[in-house]
Amino acid sequence: MISGKMLRDAVISGANNIQNNRESVDELNVFPVPDGDTGTNMSMTIKNALPELLAMGDGVTVEEVAKAAAGAMLRGARGNSGVILSLLFRGLSKGLAGKKEVSVKEYCDAMKLGVNAAYKSVMKPTEGTMLTVARVAQEIAAKSDTEDFGEFFDIVLDAAKDTLDKTPEMLPVLKKAGVVDAGGMGYYIILSGMASVIKNGIIIEAIAEKPKDNTVVTNAAGTYETDIEFTYCTEFIVCKKDSSVDAIKLRAFLESIGDSVVVVEDDNIIKVHCHTEHPGKALEEGILYGTLTNLKIENMKEQHKGAAAKAQSQREQRLAPAKPEKDFGFVSVCSGSGLEALFKDLGTDVIVRGGQTMNPSTEDILEAINATPAHNVFVLPNNKNIIMAAEQAVKLTDRKVIVLPTRTIPQGISAMLAFDESADFKTNGAQMTEALDNVGSGSITFAVRDSDFEGKEIKKGEILAMENGKLSFVERDVTKALIKLTRKLLRSGSSYITVIYGSDVTDETAQAAYEQLRAKISDDIEVVLVNGGQPVYYYIVSVE
């Protein structure tokens, strides 16, 4: 049986493992455009559960752990991979409802509920992705009659790895790039972190990093509790003085002066972790068995105070719910002062800052919905990797919400312009969605890595032209790319072009590019230049 404590530690270990390896998962993304990368999104999603898990005592049940993890991950879900991951855990939580401990069969059945929930969330599931890895791993494990959790996780990991290795055969784009699916790899890494606890009792520790956002980086080896009995998280490795050394007596001593004792040994070393009021005594005892290395002592009470203070500060900065006072309201996702002002001018009530490389969480979108002073709220994700997170937010609010499938900024602008105050909520939703087909979307950005994509050899730093979300061509000059792309977007009947320039383009450069473009475009078509201030994209182009 798995206890609540073991499941808690397993999820913490899985979260730390994906955090430690997120960059390598990000690198598997075959598309060279700057993106809200898979490893980062999955890491930020599962890390959202850490504060609640770290605050749980050892007497928790598997139901409490699974419920807390699933709820926090749903709220913190970022990007499509993060949403799918949260749904895998949400199904797991439903399967573990009412259970204090869980058997292998019960856990495997709960995994199936998670797989089913994840598949249902995707309109057209694609095999060769994270979904396939999760499904096949569960199906193969279900055929086993083992009752041992260590053996069960070995089967799950072997099946997940085998399926992951086959993903290039399922998706030609992966085979051409010579990589496996990034989401599948992220899920395998999380499972591996969980297995470390289930099989060996060892929590994989998070490698310290400088936070790049408002998240708190914690050391999961120490459990932050409301009432921390022992102050110091003490860890060290003993290099045995000879192979006859037995760690059983060392474990017994450590248990006499603290708790959360983990002692793991092989022929050459003994790895030690414990919570105690007397770290010096733990080290002195360790010296009796050999030489010490990798010493680390942390004051958990001070860490807890710091984490609690930062969390409180973050809570105070959150958007406050607003009482509905009008019929219709709007939430738009974008980044850049100019774009924010543009969407505000078009009627947006609340802006969620985000987009490419900065996918907001489900909770970010939920708070924006609840902060909109309207009974009926339209949400414009304006990015294909944010739509699923927005759709999850709908399930968590009591407002009536329609998520418009806006995949680009130009589509978001077109949808806002199509709003009709005299029409009802449902009619407006249909009309605004229909308007998306009337706009051509283009963008100019840069390659973040060398790549061979759809027959195009791309070098890091080259200029990429995106046409309606797909790579159109590669250039070396930004202005030439802008002109060529805009002309490709023109259709019979096109009458209006909006060019939005980003934070990496000066006013002078943008004006010069506009004049060159204007000279190449028919006088019958109006061309407007807007300072969007957006990151990542040099230019965003809308053609209507």
Side-chain angles (χ1 to χ4, degrees), residues 230-249:
F230 297 102
T231 305
Y232 301 100
C233 174
T234 305
E235 300 176 42
F236 56 89
I237 292 176
V238 179
C239 298
K240 291 182 179 180
K241 56 186 177 184
D242 60 67
S243 59
S244 64
V245 168
D246 189 349
I248 294 178
K249 291 183 179 179

Side-chain angles (χ1 to χ4, degrees), residues 51-57 223-229 300-301 304-305 308:
E52 288 188 56
L53 296 179
L54 291 168
M56 287 180 163
T223 302
Y224 299 129
E225 301 174 12
T226 303
D227 183 17
I228 299 175
E229 183 177 357
M300 294 187 294
K301 291 182 178 179
H304 176 66
K305 289 178 183 178

Side-chain angles (χ1 to χ4, degrees), residues 111-353:
M111 286 179 69
K112 185 175 182 178
L113 293 179
V115 170
N116 291 343
Y119 265 86
K120 287 178 182 177
S121 71
V122 181
M123 187 172 297
K124 295 181 180 179
T126 300
E127 297 301 340
T129 65
M130 174 181 174
L131 290 171
T132 309
V133 174
R135 175 179 59 79
V136 175
Q138 189 281 329
E139 289 175 347
I140 290 177
K143 296 176 182 177
S144 167
D145 58 1
T146 183
E147 296 181 0
D148 179 81
F149 260 108
E151 292 178 1
F152 173 77
F153 262 84
D154 279 339
I155 294 169
V156 170
L157 285 175
D158 288 345
K161 184 62 167 62
D162 181 61
T163 307
L164 179 65
D165 290 342
K166 292 177 180 176
T167 55
E169 301 303 319
M170 303 179 201
L171 285 176
V173 68
L174 297 178
K175 187 172 184 177
K176 190 169 184 62
V179 297
V180 296
D181 178 68
M185 176 60 83
Y187 184 59
Y188 174 75
I189 287 170
I190 290 170
L191 290 175
S192 298
M194 296 178 69
S196 177
V197 171
I198 303 301
K199 295 176 59 180
N200 303 313
I202 299 175
I203 297 176
I204 293 176
E205 297 178 25
I207 299 173
E209 62 176 357
K210 185 177 180 181
K212 297 180 180 179
D213 49 32
N214 291 328
T215 57
V216 180
V217 177
T218 59
N219 174 8
T223 302
Y224 299 129
E225 301 174 12
T226 303
D227 183 17
I228 299 175
E229 183 177 357
F230 297 102
T231 305
Y232 301 100
C233 174
T234 305
E235 300 176 42
F236 56 89
I237 292 176
V238 179
C239 298
K240 291 182 179 180
K241 56 186 177 184
D242 60 67
S243 59
S244 64
V245 168
D246 189 349
I248 294 178
K249 291 183 179 179
L250 175 58
R251 181 196 300 272
F253 175 81
L254 294 173
E255 289 178 344
S256 73
I257 64 168
D259 67 5
S260 296
V261 176
V262 177
V263 176
V264 182
E265 67 173 324
D266 61 19
D267 292 339
N268 301 309
I269 66 168
I270 306 171
K271 186 171 183 179
V272 174
H273 166 272
C274 71
H275 298 170
T276 179
E277 287 296 299
H278 305 285
K281 290 183 179 180
L283 297 177
E284 288 177 4
E285 187 70 14
I287 289 176
L288 300 178
Y289 296 81
T291 59
L292 304 186
T293 185
N294 289 37
L295 282 71
K296 183 168 67 173
I297 300 172
E298 296 179 330
N299 186 318
M300 294 187 294
K301 291 182 178 179
E302 289 299 319
Q303 287 182 324
H304 176 66
K305 289 178 183 178
K310 188 163 187 177
Q312 178 62 30
S313 174
Q314 291 173 7
R315 284 193 293 270
E316 291 172 354
Q317 295 175 16
R318 292 291 192 181
L319 291 170
K323 182 179 179 180
E325 297 176 347
K326 57 182 181 177
D327 288 336
F328 304 114
F330 303 88
V331 172
S332 298
V333 181
C334 65
S335 183
S337 57
L339 284 180
E340 290 179 22
L342 178 58
F343 275 99
K344 282 284 189 179
D345 289 343
L346 292 172
T348 294
D349 296 275
V350 181
I351 297 290
V352 177
R353 291 179 178 172

Side-chain angles (χ1 to χ4, degrees), residues 328-332 376-380 400-404 416 419 424-426 428-430 432:
F328 304 114
F330 303 88
V331 172
S332 298
N376 306 288
V377 181
F378 295 100
V379 178
L380 293 81
K400 292 182 179 179
V401 180
I402 291 178
V403 176
L404 299 169
M416 290 295 294
F419 175 71
D424 60 28
F425 189 46
K426 187 175 180 179
N428 259 309
M432 295 170 78

